[in-house]
Amino acid sequence: STAAAATIADGETRVRIGQNKPQMVSDYRDRLRKHCEPFFGNTPITKIDARKLRDFRDTLAAKGLKATSIAAILSFVSKVLRMAHEDGLIRQMPAIPRPPQKASPRPAFNRHQYHHLLSVLKKIEKGKPAVAWKSSPIDRELRDLVTFMVNGFFRPGDLFVLQHKHITIVPGDTDGPAYLRVDAPPSKGHADPIITMPVAVA
């Protein structure tokens, strides 16, 4: 409990200085309350070894948690144990079991599917067939949006935080055509600017 409290306090400091999002501390508390405290209970931290951690992983799996959720909880446990080691509560870090990570890349359009999508959107703009959303007919704006997303490497959720002030048009020169530099709010741990394809400018 002492090491976990220190880990959470450290997380709060990192949130204050802008290193992490507030959600991180909320997640820490949630993992501690829902999973760690019920399993470890009053177990002295010196008795938490690799076998105990494997039992903990197996318990989480038995609850039906997926590998990504188990990995996140074990990551928090690892941070707590590292804090305990730094504070001299344990002599060495026990090995943290790693759940198998199954690669699950997001589905994507191939070139043919993308051009087919654009061609269908062109037909819809002309009312062939007529398609409406909440009484508003679908017009060219949707095709422009799709083109902008694809050429700017944006996910749908990224658009909700995107504002005009985040976008700068970098003029073309002898080295190449114009493109957009997008300084969007940090997303998924990435804060670097996005450089779009030239088509996104129009």
Side-chain angles (χ1 to χ4, degrees):
S1 296
T2 301
T7 303
I8 291 172
D10 180 69
E12 289 172 333
T13 299
R14 284 187 280 144
V15 168
R16 279 196 298 273
I17 62 178
Q19 190 174 351
N20 292 101
K21 293 183 178 180
Q23 183 64 37
M24 183 191 72
V25 174
S26 175
D27 289 341
Y28 280 3
R29 291 198 177 99
D30 189 61
R31 291 165 192 164
L32 177 64
R33 178 178 56 83
K34 285 186 179 177
H35 306 291
C36 300
E37 288 180 339
F39 179 84
F40 294 108
N42 295 320
T43 305
I45 199 165
T46 54
K47 300 295 184 184
I48 298 177
D49 54 13
R51 178 178 292 277
K52 186 77 171 175
L53 292 170
R54 286 197 302 272
D55 290 343
F56 180 51
R57 177 201 57 192
D58 295 345
T59 299
L60 295 175
K63 289 181 179 180
L65 296 180
K66 301 298 183 185
T68 51
S69 298
I70 294 173
I73 296 166
L74 289 174
S75 174
F76 170 67
V77 171
S78 177
K79 286 180 172 67
V80 172
L81 291 171
R82 190 176 300 114
M83 183 68 70
H85 182 253
E86 291 173 1
D87 291 348
L89 298 176
I90 55 177
R91 290 186 177 181
Q92 63 181 23
M93 281 276 298
I96 306 292
R98 298 295 178 190
Q101 294 287 350
K102 183 180 179 181
S104 54
R106 289 186 178 93
F109 291 128
N110 60 33
R111 183 185 295 270
H112 172 74
Q113 292 169 329
Y114 173 57
H115 286 299
H116 179 65
L117 171 63
L118 293 181
S119 68
V120 171
L121 289 175
K122 284 181 182 178
K123 292 177 183 177
I124 291 174
E125 292 167 23
K126 298 174 182 177
K128 302 176 182 179
V131 179
W133 171 253
K134 294 184 177 179
S135 302
S136 297
I138 300 297
D139 56 21
R140 177 165 179 171
E141 193 173 63
L142 181 58
R143 179 160 57 94
D144 284 343
L145 180 66
V146 170
T147 305
F148 176 72
M149 287 177 60
V150 169
N151 287 274
F153 317 106
F154 296 107
R155 297 167 298 187
D158 296 331
L159 298 179
F160 290 102
V161 297
L162 201 59
Q163 299 177 22
H164 289 289
K165 67 180 181 181
H166 298 139
I167 300 175
T168 303
I169 299 177
V170 179
D173 55 23
T174 55
D175 292 329
Y179 59 87
L180 301 179
R181 175 191 170 99
V182 183
D183 291 286
S187 173
K188 294 285 186 180
H190 300 287
D192 295 330
I194 296 168
I195 303 301
T196 72
M197 300 294 284
V199 176
V201 177

